[in-house]
């Protein structure tokens, strides 16, 4: 069995005011519980949530802030009461959640991401006061329920982003009937939105990519879109696509530029607009109820562990590939990725690799 370190090496933010210059740090892991699994990390995707947490947009988090929740690695230790069949050395993944009570009605119905006892993979507190730390680190310790087997035919760097970003868009797609005969819009073609196009098409829907301009039009069609709507370049888009869509998933990082007066017009009666956006804490939106008229607007949180497994099965069976850009993990590269993420300069998901070289 590989030795799990007493202190974990990581790249972490030590000051929100200087968040784009993270430092090499070490921290103590949380107490090892009987149902925990220890994982040596191989790679980790970069999520927009990482930027919000690192920069302080989501409040002051105890330092060091170690982000990352699209984690792939290998099992190095199992608690004595683990009931799962994970083997030492097996490749596994961890998404954006590392704990819930597993006893309440929500947990018992595959809705553990909506549990009141939820602990996200970084930046939240366990009952004993320990603040969770994520995947820009050599290792992670996680309750076994939140450890996910990875199909052999999905390379690690492509699997990681599926566990948070991918599942965050997959969950509202399947919960709201995406499939053959449905017309589904993906609004916001970025890290999560580009995966939404791939998955909606793979599920059999007629897919509409919705973006402010045409810069990503060519990419959208390559990713699986059947139609493209550029809202700032087509003044009559709401009239042109009136009464068309069954479902729209809003994948924009912010809701400030989403026109909630026009968007419901392109929905069929009974259509659903579901946002997965988690913007800055200060952001608010204003809805005019009379403009909705038969259309529902809601938000979706993290997908469940069962939904992650369904997504991995879909990706494996259909041999789907998201679009990634790889960076070896180190201080300089995390700085560069943070700067590029802030500018929106990514096509479409960064993944940190070469963990062995940085953390030995």
């Amino acid at each position: 069995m590989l030795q799990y370190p007493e202190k974990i090496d990581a790249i972490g933010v030590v000051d929100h005011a200087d968040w784009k210059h993270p430092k090499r740090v070490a921290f103590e892991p949380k107490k090892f519980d009987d149902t925990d699994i220890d994982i040596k990390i191989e790679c980790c995707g970069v999520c927009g949530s990482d930027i919000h947490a690192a920069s302080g947009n989501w409040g002051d988090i105890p330092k060091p802030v170690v982000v990352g929740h699209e984690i792939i690695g290998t099992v190095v230790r199992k608690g004595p009461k683990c009931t799962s069949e994970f083997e030492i050395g097996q490749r596994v993944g961890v998404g954006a959640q590392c704990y819930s009570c597993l006893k309440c009605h929500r947990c018992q119905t595959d809705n553990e991401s909506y549990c009141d006892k939820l602990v996200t993979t970084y930046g939240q507190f366990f009952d004993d006061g320990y603040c969770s730390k994520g995947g820009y680190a050599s290792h992670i310790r996680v309750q076994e329920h939140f450890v996910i087997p990875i199909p052999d035919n999905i390379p690690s760097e492509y699997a990681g982003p599926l566990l948070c970003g991918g599942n965050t868009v997959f969950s509202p797609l399947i919960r709201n009937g995406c499939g053959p005969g449905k017309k589904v819009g993906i609004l916001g073609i970025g890290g999560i939105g580009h995966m939404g196009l791939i998955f909606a098409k793979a599920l059999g829907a007629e897919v509409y990519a919705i973006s402010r301009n045409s810069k990503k039009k060519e990419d959208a069609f390559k990713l699986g879109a059947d139609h493209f709507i550029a809202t700032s370049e087509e003044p009559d888009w709401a009239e042109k696509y009136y009464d068309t869509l069954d479902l729209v998933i809003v994948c924009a990082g912010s809701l400030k530029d989403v026109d909630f007066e026009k968007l419901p017009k392109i929905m069929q009666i009974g259509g659903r607009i579901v946002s997965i956006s988690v913007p800055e804490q200060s952001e608010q939106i204003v809805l005019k109820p009379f403009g909705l008229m038969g259309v529902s607007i809601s938000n979706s949180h993290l997908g469940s562990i069962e939904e992650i497994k369904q997504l991995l099965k879909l990706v494996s069976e259909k041999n789907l590939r998201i679009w990634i850009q790889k960076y070896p993990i180190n201080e300089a590269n995390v700085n560069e990725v943070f700067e590029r993420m802030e500018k929106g300069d990514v096509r479409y998901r960064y993944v940190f690799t070469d963990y062995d070289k940085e953390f030995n």
Side-chain angles (χ1 to χ4, degrees):
M1 181 184 299
L2 298 173
Q3 183 65 37
Y4 195 86
E6 293 183 4
K7 284 200 171 183
I8 297 174
D9 292 323
I11 307 293
V13 172
V14 296
D15 182 358
H16 285 309
D18 192 30
W19 66 275
K20 284 184 283 189
H21 296 92
K23 306 298 181 185
R24 179 72 179 263
V25 297
F27 62 88
E28 293 183 0
K30 84 172 191 72
K31 178 178 68 73
F32 187 81
D33 291 327
D34 287 345
T35 57
D36 279 347
I37 289 181
D38 288 345
I39 298 166
K40 183 176 185 291
I41 298 175
E42 173 188 347
C43 64
C44 183
V46 180
C47 182
S49 301
D50 299 352
I51 306 306
H52 283 300
S55 65
N57 284 346
W58 288 350
D60 189 18
I61 299 173
K63 315 303 180 294
V65 182
V66 179
V67 298
H69 54 205
E70 299 179 339
I71 300 163
I72 302 294
T74 52
V75 175
V76 295
R77 182 186 181 189
K78 294 173 59 176
K81 293 186 178 179
C82 283
T83 59
S84 55
E85 297 181 357
F86 294 115
E87 298 178 355
I88 301 302
Q90 181 177 347
R91 189 173 63 132
V92 295
V94 179
Q97 184 176 1
C98 64
Y99 181 82
S100 74
C101 76
L102 301 180
K103 299 175 182 178
C104 68
H105 178 262
R106 294 181 179 190
C107 287
Q108 293 293 315
T109 55
D110 290 323
N111 287 298
E112 62 272 85
S113 59
Y114 296 91
C115 174
D116 284 344
K117 297 292 186 181
L118 169 146
V119 178
T120 54
T121 302
Y122 59 76
Q124 281 196 323
F125 293 93
F126 290 88
D127 287 341
D128 63 3
Y130 184 86
C131 185
S132 58
K133 293 176 173 58
Y136 296 10
S138 62
H139 297 74
I140 191 167
R141 177 168 289 165
V142 182
Q143 207 279 341
E144 66 169 339
H145 179 81
F146 298 95
V147 178
I148 302 142
I150 305 300
D152 291 340
N153 68 330
I154 307 178
S156 295
E157 60 270 28
Y158 289 92
L162 302 177
L163 305 182
C164 174
N167 193 40
T168 299
V169 70
F170 182 71
S171 175
L173 284 172
I174 60 173
R175 289 187 185 217
N176 291 280
C178 178
K182 299 294 185 179
K183 296 181 179 181
V184 175
I186 303 294
L187 191 157
I189 314 305
I192 292 180
H194 98 280
M195 289 189 264
L197 294 177
I198 294 171
F199 304 152
K201 187 66 175 180
L203 289 167
E206 183 176 343
V207 182
Y208 291 70
I210 307 172
S211 189
R212 282 174 293 182
N213 55 53
S214 299
K215 291 180 180 179
K216 298 176 181 177
K217 184 174 183 178
E218 183 178 346
D219 285 354
F221 285 122
K222 290 178 181 178
L223 290 161
D226 300 292
H227 311 273
F228 190 91
I229 303 172
T231 58
S232 67
E233 298 173 6
E234 301 178 53
D236 64 343
W237 66 271
E239 290 74 29
K240 180 178 179 181
Y241 296 98
Y242 178 78
D243 196 30
T244 296
L245 300 184
D246 299 286
L247 173 65
V248 168
I249 309 298
V250 179
C251 301
S254 168
L255 298 177
K256 291 183 292 188
D257 295 325
V258 179
D259 191 333
F260 283 104
E261 290 191 45
K262 287 187 175 181
L263 189 58
K265 294 180 180 180
I266 70 173
M267 308 302 298
Q268 295 186 30
I269 298 300
R272 300 177 184 182
I273 300 170
V274 184
S275 170
I276 57 90
S277 178
V278 187
E280 296 182 20
Q281 289 180 328
S282 61
E283 184 173 312
Q284 298 182 0
I285 62 172
V286 177
L287 298 176
K288 297 180 179 179
F290 287 110
L292 301 180
M293 291 300 183
V295 176
S296 63
I297 296 180
S298 64
N299 75 323
S300 176
H301 196 218
L302 309 172
S304 70
I305 297 302
E306 181 59 32
E307 286 166 341
I308 293 178
K309 293 175 181 178
Q310 291 178 40
L311 172 59
L312 291 172
K313 184 174 185 289
L314 176 73
V315 170
S316 174
E317 290 178 349
K318 292 186 175 288
N319 199 30
L320 305 177
R321 290 292 180 268
I322 62 173
W323 292 14
I324 65 169
Q325 295 172 267
K326 297 187 291 185
Y327 272 80
I329 192 165
N330 55 51
E331 287 183 9
N333 283 344
V334 176
N335 164 244
E336 181 175 341
V337 166
F338 279 3
E339 289 186 342
R340 294 184 69 174
M341 284 284 287
E342 186 181 40
K343 297 174 184 176
D345 180 18
V346 53
R347 293 177 67 236
Y348 282 96
R349 204 71 166 179
Y350 289 122
V351 180
F352 287 123
T353 61
D354 296 325
Y355 273 56
D356 279 342
K357 293 180 182 178
E358 177 66 15
F359 300 125
N360 296 318

